Amino acid sequence: MKIFNTLTGQKEGFRPLGDEVRMYVCGVTPYSECHIGHAMSYIIFDVARRYLEFRGHKVRYIQNFTDIDDKIIDRAATAGVPPQELAERQIAQYFSCMDALNIRRADAYPRATEEIPKIIEVIQGLIDKGHAYRTEDGSVYFRVKSDPDYGKLSHQDLDALQSGARVEVDAEKEHPLDFALWKAAKPGEPAWDSPWSKGRPGWHIECSAMSLKYLGEQIDIHGGGQDLIFPHHENEIAQSESFTGKEPFVRYWMHNGLLRLGEVKMSKSLGVLVTVHEVLERYTSDAVRLFILSSHYRSPLSFSDEGLEAAERGLERLQQAAGGGRNEDAGGKPPTIDVDAVRQAFIGAMDDDFNTAQAIGTLFDLAREINRARSEGVDVKPAQALLRDLAGVLGLTLAEREISLDAQPFIDLLVQVRTELRKEKQWKLADQVRSGLEELDIILEDTPKGTVWRKGRKQD
RNA sequence: GGCGGCGUUGCCAAGUGGUAAGGCGAGGGUCUGCAAAACCCUUAUUCAGCGGUUCGAAUCCGCUCGCCGCCUCCA
């Protein structure tokens, strides 16, 4: 399989360094609710991980929480709660969002505040090697001039980066692009002891430290949004490679395109965002996933209700084809669908840098074949199993909407009564029952084998 | 200014040299008491524009136009 590597700007054949794929994805700073931009990124990497496993790899997947930083401190102060309490609350909220989207949990979620010793070890190592220096107030900065290939990930050199820089010049720093590894605490801020001052880690250093600690000096895949390429990931490379002396720190850098709202990217700082919570009130998690995976992960995607609606309808077709929860007898005729060919088409698409859009195309092709074969009395069980299997690689459950168990006997009863009415050709009354149930979002379908019903798409 | 990317049918979206996947929508049909679901047919001679390379280009090259991201925190 091939993966597009941001570092080289090319698709490269993928081969893990060791027995298992070591994968690190930048997590969130838990200070506010997660939005669908987060959903997009984590769904994409969830699918990458699921697919790698589908292809027979063992994957070790690590994701961090930046549970201490300026924003958390500010926000906590405004809310009048301790920073850790705010972070804790938002982490819980994050998990509930991700779980709702059927995103599998990482193998570990290290937190910056719990990795201080490792962070200090890395910073000290960088100082010892001349890659970092302490300033008057006890902060420590990375010396970008000490890294000859600084800028290689964003394909810029120091001069180019500097010329467009909007960053303020700080008299403490040797170079404007030097960045904080350790920030000395101001009075009242959370702080940890260190050889340089009471303070807290800079934003970038935690990822290097955690990656080193949990995955080793060289890892296979490091992922995140394209907005993290500079400065975050650039700085991670500088720190990690300067510390270990080993290159490359990351063998495949993967970055997803950013979600847009209309014509601009969704962003916390711009205040334009839609929360996961809001989206899941209106659409199923399967639809959200299908919508996101319908375009290529490296392209920007515009959030739209039309797109979610389309995904929702398409999903219904996949559900129906997969069996739709109905109790149907297997057709009598032997299976005719070439499941191997479909599986290979799916793999062919996904092997090409996770081309989920094309892979989804193979799912719809399969759905059509299943429906056609089923109407001809062919046994479609194996094909349905494949459909569920492949959909599962994309994290689609194809689950029907559920209705409370309490209501089911009553619905069954009404359906039975209507069946009697239909036998007596009492169409008007029968139709009344059907439309009445439809009002309650119960959809009736009269099939040759009898009437079946399912939950519709109205919101509860 | 530097770096990166995008512009494909009504909408969304694959496709990076061999003659335009797929989804949604729309129209027609089959099935049905009528529906629903499903299936069948139709819906881009054309890929922002203009040149060039090639037997052949949406795909490669050049230019033009339009749009976006990054160079500050951000998935």
Side-chain angles (χ1 to χ4, degrees), chain A residues 41 97 105 125 195 233 264 268 291 301 379 391 399 458-459:
Chain A
S41 191
C97 279
R105 298 251 179 145
H233 289 160
V264 296
K268 285 193 215 177
F291 170 68
L301 176 64
D379 176 12
K458 287 185 195 166
Q459 284 308 311

Side-chain angles (χ1 to χ4, degrees), chain A residues 39 73 141 145 338 352:
Chain A
I73 293 171
Y141 288 91
K145 284 271 192 188
D338 187 347
D352 182 15

Side-chain angles (χ1 to χ4, degrees), chain A residues 185-448:
Chain A
K186 298 191 187 89
E189 290 181 347
W192 288 261
D193 285 322
S194 81
W196 320 287
S197 63
K198 281 181 91 71
R200 62 177 186 275
W203 174 36
H204 318 294
I205 192 66
E206 60 174 270
C207 284
S208 290
M210 294 174 187
S211 191
L212 281 166
K213 177 173 170 183
Y214 289 88
L215 296 171
E217 296 188 329
Q218 293 186 293
I219 71 173
D220 296 301
I221 295 173
H222 191 127
Q226 282 172 351
D227 51 354
L228 295 182
I229 293 172
F230 191 91
H232 187 54
H233 289 160
E234 194 72 72
N235 292 349
E236 275 189 51
I237 292 177
Q239 293 163 344
S240 301
E241 294 184 353
S242 295
F243 177 74
T244 66
K246 285 191 181 169
E247 289 186 35
F249 160 50
V250 171
R251 303 176 63 238
Y252 303 87
W253 281 98
M254 286 179 66
H255 292 98
N256 63 274
L258 302 177
L259 195 71
R260 298 195 226 166
L261 259 189
E263 286 302 303
V264 296
K265 91 164 170 169
M266 182 169 319
S267 154
K268 285 193 215 177
S269 52
L270 293 175
V272 275
L273 51 80
V274 177
T275 65
V276 169
H277 185 72
E278 287 168 331
V279 174
L280 288 179
E281 273 186 346
R282 299 166 58 203
Y283 305 103
T284 61
S285 63
D286 267 5
V288 174
R289 293 187 75 111
L290 188 65
F291 170 68
I292 285 167
L293 298 172
S294 287
S295 70
H296 191 90
Y297 78 89
R298 280 188 283 115
S299 303
L301 176 64
S302 287
F303 176 86
S304 77
D305 285 306
E306 297 73 33
L308 267 312
E309 281 295 339
E312 205 77 76
R313 302 218 176 84
L315 205 55
E316 275 173 29
R317 250 182 76 216
L318 293 179
Q319 282 169 0
Q320 297 283 339
R326 304 180 193 191
N327 281 321
E328 276 184 290
D329 299 328
K333 299 179 190 170
T336 54
I337 297 171
D338 187 347
V339 291
D340 277 346
V342 175
R343 178 182 284 266
Q344 282 312 313
F346 180 86
I347 289 173
M350 291 294 283
D351 264 4
D352 182 15
D353 193 31
F354 305 103
N355 192 333
T356 52
Q358 201 166 69
I360 287 168
T362 68
L363 259 41
F364 277 102
D365 289 338
L366 177 58
R368 174 170 292 112
E369 287 195 67
I370 288 172
N371 287 328
R372 200 181 319 176
R374 181 161 54 187
S375 70
E376 289 164 1
V378 169
D379 176 12
V380 293
K381 292 280 190 230
Q384 288 181 320
L386 177 68
L387 179 55
R388 288 192 172 283
D389 196 24
L390 298 182
V393 174
L394 302 180
L396 301 174
T397 64
L398 300 189
E400 294 273 298
R401 286 167 192 249
E402 292 181 355
I403 190 144
S404 80
L405 286 171
D406 293 348
Q408 292 186 20
F410 297 99
I411 297 167
D412 286 336
L413 184 63
L414 282 165
V415 169
Q416 274 171 34
V417 170
R418 177 170 170 275
T419 300
E420 292 305 314
L421 290 169
R422 290 183 69 222
K423 276 183 189 160
E424 322 233 330
K425 299 200 190 303
Q426 303 244 30
W427 307 126
K428 202 170 173 184
L429 280 172
D431 289 352
Q432 217 169 54
V433 172
R434 183 172 63 195
S435 60
L437 282 169
E438 193 175 345
E439 286 290 305
L440 301 170
D441 203 28
I442 305 299
I443 310 299
L444 262 52
E445 292 175 18
D446 299 326
T447 74

